[in-house]
Amino acid sequence: MRKRSAPRRHPANKKKPVALDGAPIQLSIEGLSHEGRGIARHNGKTLFVAGALPGEEVEARITKTHRRFDEAQCINVIQASEDRAEPICEHYGVCGGCDLQHLTHSRQIEEKQRIVLDQLERLGKIQPETTESPLRSPSSKYRRSARLGVNQLQRDNSVVVGFRRRASNKLTRIDRCPVLNDTLNQTIQLLQNALDQAGQVRDITHAEISMGDQEGALTLRIKKRPSDALLDAISLAANQLHLRLYLDDGQITQAYTDAADLHYRLPDQDIKLSFEPGDFLQVNAGVNEQMISRALEWLQPTPDDRILDLFSGIGNFTLPLALNAGEVVGVEGSDTMVQRAATNAEANGLTNCAFYRANLSNDLRHHRWFNQGFNKIVLDPPRTGALEAIKQLEHYQADQILYVSCNPSALARDAAELVAMGYRFSRFCVMDMFPQTSHVESLALFEKPEK
């Protein structure tokens, strides 16, 4: 008789977390999670407590239960940590942008370093030989780009310009954000005032602001073109802040009048990098400059080096490396970015750079550049990491691989792969790219042992 297979569980039938609103419980907070929440134990389970810090005694209310852990919200601090700080923003706790303002800024980067090292140990079973000093940032006014949501309420046609609320798709109105630079903050008020007076603006879904050293771009994402009267008003006000207005209809992004001269300089290397609205841009200019300098310090490029820069973007690493290397090859997944980087190299008089497009999650062996030799490699992947690319790099037997990480768990996985390939995890540091948030970026250097 034929055996019947067990019924397949439909994904929709999976047990979902249960939302609760029970009585407060008293907890001792033992640590801080990679999401910036306090860690406690309750009824034999791990409990993640938003708004709580290590060493604190708090009252909290459980908000969701899961099979292996629960979630809670701190509602009262009984015994505060000496590292507890007064939030610098009136919207903190409602706005979803920042989640660590209740922790002193100096302690934030220390906790982030501990969290990444813990992930490396737990997930990758590895530790760096040397942990160097973090790359630090001011605690406020560090962002040079932002994305603002725009919504017009049905009930009264009022307009909300701001950021998403914590754990919600709804917007909260923001008049001023302390982590944005002054121009971005003035732009929030500019946009709010213009849209308040415009009547129907439901065809505008959000606005993106990106600042170069001299000019910036204010890009409106639209479903249908707004009236010229509204666009003229926004454009005129934006020009006073050295911003040029752009429109993005989902197919093409165009300047409303004159295009902006969008660029930033890396002063230590005397390099100018131009970009366009929508290009990936490191939001923290000061930390980006430090990051480039430390990368050059670690890699020490010379005319004998052929360097491969994967996920090269507009050339943020490629061009500084090319100043002293023999040749640098940048690879990116977008034709637009490849062209942008090539244009930047030409504008800086660098003739020893070449740029190619490739999907770095796919098989790379058929690409012409892949069969060239490289003795140093830079990886600056997205949050998903670079595992597929790393598996294909072994044949180079590169002397050094520099990994720029924006996700500790992906770094732990990929670092373990590199160590398994025979590399030493020689140097490591964290970067304070996003103060007041739990987001952490890192630099990790892997080197072949000397023979």
Side-chain angles (χ1 to χ4, degrees):
M1 185 165 131
R2 201 148 124 204
K3 223 179 197 182
R4 297 182 64 186
S5 60
R8 180 177 295 176
R9 183 185 292 271
H10 192 277
N13 295 330
K14 289 177 71 175
K15 188 174 181 181
K16 295 181 179 179
V18 178
L20 301 174
D21 189 18
I25 54 176
Q26 187 167 332
L27 299 167
S28 298
I29 306 301
E30 302 169 0
L32 197 70
S33 77
H34 69 278
E35 297 173 327
R37 296 185 291 181
I39 301 173
R41 299 286 297 178
H42 179 66
N43 290 341
K45 292 170 71 176
T46 298
L47 187 59
F48 296 105
V49 188
L53 296 174
E56 292 188 330
E57 293 288 329
V58 303
E59 281 187 323
R61 182 172 284 116
I62 296 178
T63 54
K64 289 183 181 179
T65 63
H66 305 257
R67 187 164 64 89
R68 295 183 177 178
F69 66 92
D70 293 336
E71 299 177 70
Q73 177 66 49
C74 174
I75 58 175
N76 181 39
V77 179
I78 300 170
Q79 181 177 330
S81 164
E82 63 181 15
D83 296 312
R84 179 167 283 275
E86 188 68 28
I88 63 174
C89 179
E90 62 182 302
H91 305 289
Y92 186 64
V94 177
C95 173
C98 295
D99 49 17
L100 279 184
Q101 287 189 17
H102 59 292
L103 180 61
T104 59
H105 180 223
S106 60
R107 188 65 182 172
Q108 288 176 25
I109 193 63
E110 294 174 7
E111 284 292 330
K112 290 178 183 182
Q113 178 175 287
R114 181 196 58 77
I115 286 167
V116 181
L117 291 172
D118 178 67
Q119 296 253 32
L120 288 166
E121 176 66 38
R122 287 191 306 104
L123 303 179
K125 311 300 181 190
I126 52 175
Q127 285 286 283
E129 294 173 5
T130 303
T131 298
E132 300 195 6
S133 58
L135 305 185
R136 296 183 181 273
S137 166
S139 62
S140 62
K141 297 185 179 182
Y142 65 84
R143 287 196 67 112
R144 62 178 169 185
S145 66
R147 176 172 174 166
L148 297 164
V150 177
N151 186 33
Q152 188 163 32
L153 304 180
Q154 294 283 354
R155 64 175 182 267
D156 58 4
N157 283 332
S158 62
V159 178
V160 178
V161 176
F163 299 124
R164 286 184 179 179
R165 300 176 190 173
R166 185 167 295 183
S168 172
N169 287 325
K170 294 183 177 179
L171 295 179
T172 188
R173 176 168 172 163
I174 300 292
D175 296 317
R176 185 169 185 81
C177 171
V179 302
L180 303 186
N181 69 26
D182 289 338
T183 299
L184 268 63
N185 270 307
Q186 292 176 68
T187 308
I188 296 176
Q189 200 58 58
L190 172 164
L191 197 57
Q192 183 72 62
N193 292 341
L195 298 183
D196 279 342
Q197 301 170 29
Q200 173 61 256
V201 296
R202 288 193 174 89
D203 289 323
I204 301 174
T205 61
H206 62 263
E208 295 187 3
I209 319 165
S210 51
M211 286 299 304
D213 288 347
Q214 296 176 352
E215 291 188 337
L218 169 59
T219 305
L220 300 182
R221 180 70 164 85
I222 58 174
K223 294 184 286 187
K224 189 171 71 174
R225 184 184 175 92
S227 70
D228 286 344
L230 173 59
L231 296 178
D232 285 343
I234 295 175
S235 179
L236 181 63
N239 287 348
Q240 296 174 17
L241 298 176
H242 304 287
L243 294 168
R244 300 291 178 257
L245 179 63
Y246 287 75
L247 301 177
D248 173 11
D249 64 2
Q251 301 295 322
I252 189 171
T253 301
Q254 290 184 314
Y256 178 60
T257 54
D258 298 328
D261 176 14
L262 298 175
H263 71 268
Y264 63 90
R265 286 193 174 275
L266 299 173
D268 288 348
Q269 293 78 39
D270 193 24
I271 282 177
K272 175 183 173 182
L273 289 158
S274 296
F275 63 96
E276 294 292 331
D279 291 354
F280 173 76
L281 183 69
Q282 292 286 4
V283 302
N284 192 322
V287 172
N288 184 56
E289 292 169 12
Q290 294 178 64
M291 177 177 69
I292 298 299
S293 294
R294 186 158 289 186
L296 295 174
E297 175 194 337
W298 285 4
L299 291 173
Q300 292 289 308
T302 73
D304 295 328
D305 291 329
R306 297 194 74 256
I307 303 177
L308 178 63
D309 180 13
L310 299 183
F311 310 93
S312 53
I314 65 173
N316 193 50
F317 283 101
T318 323
L319 273 59
L321 289 166
L323 289 173
N324 294 303
E327 184 177 1
V328 186
V329 170
V331 184
E332 178 56 66
S334 158
D335 283 324
T336 300
M337 289 299 95
V338 168
Q339 184 56 54
R340 191 95 69 240
T343 300
N344 280 329
E346 182 179 0
N348 285 275
L350 294 169
T351 59
N352 59 338
C353 300
F355 297 91
Y356 300 92
R357 187 190 70 80
N359 184 333
L360 293 167
S361 296
N362 292 345
D363 189 337
L364 303 174
R365 289 171 294 182
H366 64 283
H367 290 282
R368 180 161 54 95
W369 57 266
F370 184 82
N371 294 314
Q372 301 172 13
F374 301 98
N375 67 312
K376 294 180 180 179
I377 299 171
V378 175
L379 297 162
D380 187 8
R383 289 189 61 80
T384 50
L387 185 60
E388 294 308 314
I390 285 171
K391 289 178 178 178
Q392 301 178 68
L393 300 179
E394 188 169 10
H395 76 286
Y396 293 125
Q397 291 296 297
D399 299 323
Q400 294 176 305
I401 296 179
L402 179 67
Y403 191 115
V404 187
S405 167
C406 62
N407 182 349
S409 60
L411 172 62
R413 179 200 64 199
D414 294 351
E417 182 72 19
L418 287 166
V419 170
M421 288 163 54
Y423 284 91
R424 297 166 42 230
F425 186 2
S426 60
R427 303 172 87 166
F428 167 80
C429 73
V430 292
M431 301 182 282
D432 200 11
M433 189 73 78
F434 298 92
Q436 312 295 0
T437 80
S438 57
H439 187 84
V440 56
E441 303 219 352
S442 310
L443 282 177
L445 183 66
F446 301 86
E447 299 185 278
K448 278 289 185 184
E450 293 184 9
K451 295 180 181 178

